[in-house]
Every structure is written in structure tokens, then in C-alpha cells.
Amino acid sequence: MKKLSIFTALLAAGLVSVSAEAANLVLYTSQPNEDAQATVDSFMAANPDVNVDWVRDGTPKIMAKLQAEIEAGNPVADVLLIADTVTLERLKDAGKLLAYRSPEAANYDANLYDADGYYYSTKLITTGIMYNTSASMKPASWEDLAKPEAKGLVAMPSPLTSGAALIHAQTLAAVDGLGWDYFKALAANGATAAGGNGAVLKSVASGEKAYGMVVDYMPIREKAKGAPVEFVFPQEGVSAVTEPVGILASTDNAEAAKKFVDYVLSEKGQEGFLKLGYIPARNGMKLPEGFPARDSIKVLPIKADEALKNTDQDLKTFSGIYGSN
Amino acid sequence: MQGYVRAGSSQPAWLFPFIILVVLILSVLPLARLAAAGIAALANGGVSAVLADPALWSATYYTIVTAMLGTVISLVIGCAFAFVLALTDIRGKGQLSFLFVLPMMIPPQVTALAWVQMSGPSSPLLKALQIAPPLGSPQPLYSVGGIALLYGVQHAPLVYLALRAGLMALPGEGVEAARLSGASSFRVFHDIVLPMSLPGVIAGAALSFVSCTGNFGIPAILGIPSSIYTLPTLIFSKFSAFTSRTFGEVALLSAIIAIISVTGLAIQNRALRGRDYRLLGFSGARATFQLGGWKYLFAPLLWLILFFMLAAPFFALLAGALVPAYGVPLTFKTISLNAFHEILFHQAVTRTAFVNSLSLAAGTATCLVLVTVLAAYALTRRRDAISRAVSSLIEIPYSLPGIVIGVCFILVFASPLPVLNVTLYGTIWIILIAYLSSFFAVSLKPLVSAFHQLDPALEEAARLSGAGFLRRLRDIIVPLIAPAAGASVIVVFLIACNELTISALLWSAGTQTLGVAIYNLDDSGSSDLASALSVLIVLMVIALMLLLELMAKRLPKGVVPWRS
């Protein structure tokens, strides 16, 4: 019996020895893990005095986490780097963000950042169509996904999981000739909506599905690694999110947070995104490999204020069509 | 009889109040806090909206159906292994038992991923055998049957451990007597072993059913793609669309899960009533059946089941970790160690998650067993309405999906603690407390069934000879229930190691658990990294179990649950 209690005492001691390292800066991001780690590593290399802890999840989940923390009066995050400006606009309206005028803003189009400096777009992430190379049809337009050839073979991310997917649904819903009817037609054609973009990438790459609505960089990057997938920018145009960065008003580390914002907007930070396969938001940057010329990509417009106002209703509409709640 | 709770009971007066206090902190407080939040949120109407939602009723239906089917499957597999390994002279018992407990450590979402990879159009296994289904074939596991099957696989070891603890304590004398009177093996099994092991079977079934209703990892991966929502996944999706009404809706949904679980447990209590076999425990003097020619049927069958539960999913995972990109066939040309390289040398989260999960699991299992030994003693010796109520209160947190427990504890510990003025939220301690709450029932189960089989006469004799409570605890109770206590520690450790749903909501920067890390990697599309990390976890678990195996000689008999 004695031996056992020594053993358990050792285990218990192991628990006590876990020290919660005090991080200088906490980043909440919706970037995939590898990308988030690369971003943080390069920032820390440039700013050795700042130590970053980061947390990754889909934008709606990160927001739910943040909201629960705010409700609790103890938000942990200092900086957000998440999918879309609509979400940050909502936080700004609620007075949760800190205004910061970054000197780097001079190199960005005025419509890519908030005039008061509450948030700044960091890249352009479009949502188009990916397909498995062994699929029978080469889709060229959104409409193609509603054709009989694609019956039961289409996957899309759920707006409940992905911020980009919500903006995507809201963007297409506002397009003449598509609208919510298009999503109904897809549902009638056996399309499924679940999980985030990563899930769509997986099910198309693995051949469970043949076609998917997905963010551009994932399939383009995977194709370069040898995955049997292709990405197309549909002729009607693509929806886009801009992965903005913003500082929370509740931060205790405003200085470090501002350094982070400056870094991701700087040429060096933007080059890091480019290397990872994203379209940088900064003026005068190249495009990553595998992308067509930037002016050939037609980005569909979205009215941010309307999108913000209708978010709950749109989520309900979407859930109503796809039977997820 | 001063100092005792009541005449005829030999418990010290502090014991039961102490247990009640623990239960108040771990069960009542968080649930009350959630109820308050729910009532506050619903005060402005909204109950009818939730109740009128067809999604709620379909989720309730799917939860019950999958849990029932899953329980049946886990009972069939778990009982088969328990009876054959505990009572017969089959070869390779040690290996079989060791391997059968192993699947429990594979986190449910990884099990689901591995099975999907095993059976889908891109299955490396099926591709190698040239029988992979064509592009766009529906994945057969995305169905009620698929969810139930994996529930069964996931929870069979729980049934096995619960039943085995009972079978270990089965005295050989009854069987010997029947044999000497000329009863056949079948007759002995049917008339003696089966009735005596029923409490263990029923306890295992209840444990499995409750685990199924609260499982999140499996229905999240298998159900959501085909729009089959169970209550836990429905709650999770409600959280992903956080509105001011979310807490209210979640409180209602949680209430429904609680009702289902408590109903299941009430049925268990009914079934156990009047089946209180007090056995004089000569633990280990167990009955043995000669298999004879039957071994040619049993041995291959058990190994085949193990192959599908363990080997095939593991190789599917390994294949998933070694491909350069998802969907690329695995050949000697394409094989790549990139994922392992990234996980081991680049991702800061790997080390963090390993340290966090191991410490949390060890801390949870240790703290709980200290309390549950006392709690099981108190609850089995007192048979009144209060102790039944306390038992139910202990069960509820385990029967709720982790996500609900997570919310409860956020609400309780979000603001700084009174007096101490420390905020637990965002630290590892809040996860530890939530684990203590959630796994209390798991830790208690094997101990309760052990106490049920303990003859009180031994302890009474000691008491009459003037031994105090602590003395009786040390000399009589603890040695007799050591095997069950050991099983309890191991089971809690393993479950806590792979926990996902509670930590999914409570983790913060620096307190990620392994479950969170895997789920997150997979969720962000890096399934190669998720697979690589899962492979490392499985290897780590095997190493831990081997370590225990090596230590087994030095530990009290029966502490290592898979060893005879």
C-alpha cells in the first residue's frame, strides 16, 4: 500500500509542477495551426522581447469563446487575427476594440482597414470551388454544383464553424440569379454543409466528395504537395474575406499588441503570408504560386453593415436549408 | 451510540457530511449556476421556441437510439472478453487483456477519424487490397449504425473492466461445489457465474449508456456530415452560434440529457435491487473453465475483434500521418515524415498538450480515488433516500456532455473567487475541477460494485473488537477493494488523458490538452498533423501501460486492471 501511495504522490507532484507560464501576448486566430505557428515564430524572431501564446479555432468558435470570457469579465486574448471584418465591426460597435493607427496603413487601400484604426485587413482569402481530379465534371461556375453530375458529391463549410463560410453564404445570397434559392437547389442536390474549410478539403481530397466550396489557399497548397485536387475561380466571381487583425480594448499589453499589428502589416510579415500561400493585402506584393493574375480574380461585393445586421437571420435561413442548427 | 450517524451504522459522523460537501461543490453548484443562467435567459420567453424546435426532438431521438445500440454492442464485446479472459484457460490472456484495454485510450474523435480513413474511398487499407469504393461513395459510417458501432467499440473496455472487477472477486467455492456435484460447464456458467456477475454486467451497461449519451467526438465526426445530430453535438453547434439566448437553450438541452441519463440509471437501480450478493472475498481464487476444442473458435474470434478495434485503425492513422498530402496514395515514393517533423519540432502546442493532459489525468485520478473510496463506503453502507439522491447527483455531471460542464464551470469560476480573490478561469485548475466533477462517477463505479460484494461481517467483527474507522479502513477495507481502486485510477487516468469536450471550452492559451490539440489540427485541415500527433499519443499510452505492466509486481494485486 505504501508503494502505491508514493506512486500517486509522485503523480500528484507532477501536477503541481505545471507552471502556467505568463505570456506577454495572447493571440486568438482562425489560421490553420501550421500557419499560426509560422506567423508567431517569425514575429517572435523579429521581436525577441515579446513572447506569444496563441489559440486557434474557427472564427465563430473563437468568438463564442471570447464572448463567454467577456461575459465572465475576464477576456484572455490581447490580439485577434480572424476571418472577417464583419465580426470585428461587431466587436468595434460593442466597444471591445482598441483604436491604433499603425504607420504601416499607408501601404494599404483605404477600404482594407477601419478609418479609426480599430482593425486592419491582412490578406485576401477568396472562396471558390475545388474538385477532385478524378471527378467527371470540371466545374466552372457556381451553378455547376447544382447540376445532376454533382448530385450528392458537394461539400461546403458550415457558417456555424467558419467565418469565411458565413461571409460566402451572405455574398452569394445577395447575387442576382443565385440567392438563397441557389443554396436550396444545392441542398436538394444532396450537398452537405458541415465543419470548417479543413473538413471540406479533406472530404474532397479523399474522394468522399468530388466538389467543394473552399478557401483558395488550401487546395492550391495541397495540390503543390501532390494531392489530387484542383481549384477554380468560378465565372460569377468569388466571395472574399480579408482576415483582419485587431487589438482588444481589455488588453494589458497594448505595446506588444501594437508591435504585432505593425509586424503582420509590414512587408516582412506580408511576405510570410505570401510564402504560406495567401494573397497579401499590402500594395505592391506578388501573388503566391498557383494563383491567376490578381486583376483576373473577380471578387463579389458584400455590404458589411447589412451582413452584420442579418447575421442571425442568415444563419437561421442556412440552418433551415441544411438541417443543422 | 454517540458520534455515529445512527444506530447500527459504523460510519464516523464526519464521513457522510464530507461526501455531501464534495458533491455540493462538484455537482450541485455548477449545475445550479447553469440553471440560474438558463432561467434568467428564458425569463423573457423562449421555452416554447426551444421546445417547438424539431431539431431538439430529432436529436433526442438519435441520442437515445445510438446510445442504446452502442450499449448493446459494447456489452456483447465487453462481456465476451471479460468472461473468456477471466474465467477460461485461453492462451495469451495477458496480451489479449492488455490489448483490449488499449482502444479506450484512443480519443473517440481519433477512433472515428481512423475508422473513416479505414473505410472511405481513400482508405489506404482498402486501396492496398484493391477494394476501395469509387469516388463519391457514401461513407457507410456516417449513419446511426456507424455511430452506434463506434460507441460500442469505444465503450466495450469500460464494460470489460466493470465486469472483470466483479469476476475477479467471484469465489471459486461455489463453482467447485457444483463441479463436484457433476454439473456441466454450461450449467455452472448459467446457474452460478452468470447470476453472480449480473451486477457487474448491469453496472457496465449503465456506465456505457451514460458514456454514449454524453459522447461528443464520435457523433461530431460521423453524425454531422449526414445531419445526424445528437444532443451533445446539437449543444456544440448552438455554442458556435453564440447569441444572448444560448445559455437558456443549452440549459434546456442539458436538462433533457440529464433526464435520459437519470432514467437509464434508475433502470439500473431497479435491476440491481434484490441482487445484492455479499461474497466473502477471496479475491483471485477464481473459477476456471477448460475451453478444450472451443479454443479454436474463441481465440481467433477475439484476435480478429482486436485487429479491427486496434490494429486496423492504428495503421490507418499511421498511413494518414505519412502521406505528404491528403488523398495521395501511400507508396514508398510518396512516404514523408514531414508531419512528424512539424509536430515534434515546430508546433509549440505538442509539448504543452502532452504535459497538460498527463498532469491533468494524474491529478484527476489521484484526487478522485481518495474521495471515492470513502464515498463508495458511505453510499453502500447507508441505504436511504439521501444516499440515493447523492448517487444521482454524482452521476449527473458525467452524464452531461462535457461542453455543458465546461459552460457550468465558466459561469462558476469566471469571476474571481470570493475571499481568495484568484481567478481560476483561463488556468489549468478550472479544467482540473471540471474533470473532478465529470469523472467522479467513473471513479466511483468500480468501488461501489466492490463494496457491494464485500461482506460487512469482516468489518463488523473488527469494529466489535474495538478497531476505529481509520484502522478498519487500513487493515480491512482498503486491502479488499484495492483491485477496484486500482481499476478506478487507471480508468479515470485514461479517460481524462483523451478528454476533449470539457477542455474544448475551458482551454486557453497554454492550457491546451491533447484532445483539443488533435481536434484543432484536424479542424484546420491539417489531418496529417492530427494523425501524427495521434500516433504519438497511442505510442505514449502503450509505453505508459507497459510501464504499469513492469511495475505490476510491486503494486497491490489487481491494481493493474488487465492483469490477473
Side-chain angles (χ1 to χ4, degrees), chain B residues 328-406:
Chain B
V328 180
L330 186 64
T331 63
F332 285 109
K333 268 208 197 88
T334 59
I335 204 161
S336 125
L337 289 171
N338 263 350
F340 284 104
H341 192 264
E342 174 77 21
I343 278 291
L344 288 169
F345 304 111
H346 290 280
Q347 291 287 327
V349 77
T350 311
R351 194 186 137 268
T352 313
F354 267 104
V355 172
N356 286 343
S357 274
L358 288 177
S359 323
L360 280 168
T364 307
T366 313
C367 297
L368 277 179
V369 81
L370 297 177
V371 176
T372 48
V373 167
L374 297 173
Y377 175 82
L379 293 172
T380 46
R381 290 290 179 272
R382 289 179 64 109
R383 307 191 159 214
D384 52 8
I386 299 181
S387 70
R388 273 198 297 276
V390 171
S391 303
S392 304
L393 284 173
I394 290 171
E395 293 284 357
I396 290 171
Y398 182 63
S399 58
L400 290 175
I403 198 105
V404 178
I405 297 296

Side-chain angles (χ1 to χ4, degrees), chain A residues 15 18 33-34 37 54-56 60 64-65 69 72 74 76 153 160 192 194 198 202 205-208 222 225-226 324-325, chain B residues 55 113 116 122 136 142 225 229 234 237 239-240 325-328 346-348 359 414 423 425 505 507 520 522-525:
Chain A
L15 185 83
V18 180
N33 293 57
E34 278 178 87
Q37 187 71 53
W54 56 275
V55 159
R56 182 259 150 216
K65 201 172 177 58
E69 288 171 5
N74 184 19
V76 177
L153 297 177
L160 298 171
T192 54
K202 255 178 67 174
S206 71
E208 261 169 46
E222 292 298 302
K225 285 195 222 162
S324 53
N325 353 55
Chain B
L113 285 171
V116 167
S122 70
Y142 292 163
Y229 281 82
L234 183 65
S237 60
F239 267 104
S240 306
Y326 210 77
V328 180
H346 290 280
Q347 291 287 327
S359 323
T423 308
Y425 187 73
L505 207 68
W507 61 282
N520 230 314
D522 184 67
D523 188 54
S524 70

Side-chain angles (χ1 to χ4, degrees), chain A residues 96-112:
Chain A
K96 303 286 180 212
L97 295 182
L98 180 94
Y100 166 57
R101 292 183 185 275
S102 170
E104 300 284 353
N107 300 299
Y108 287 76
D109 273 356
N111 62 2
L112 283 176

Side-chain angles (χ1 to χ4, degrees), chain A residues 31-45:
Chain A
Q31 296 190 105
N33 293 57
E34 278 178 87
D35 304 359
Q37 187 71 53
T39 305
V40 165
D41 284 349
S42 62
F43 168 74
M44 292 207 292

Side-chain angles (χ1 to χ4, degrees), chain B residues 414-436:
Chain B
S415 38
L417 291 177
V419 189
L420 299 172
N421 207 13
V422 216
T423 308
L424 289 181
Y425 187 73
T427 68
I428 198 135
W429 304 109
I430 190 172
I431 304 181
L432 177 67
I433 297 173
Y435 278 11
L436 291 176

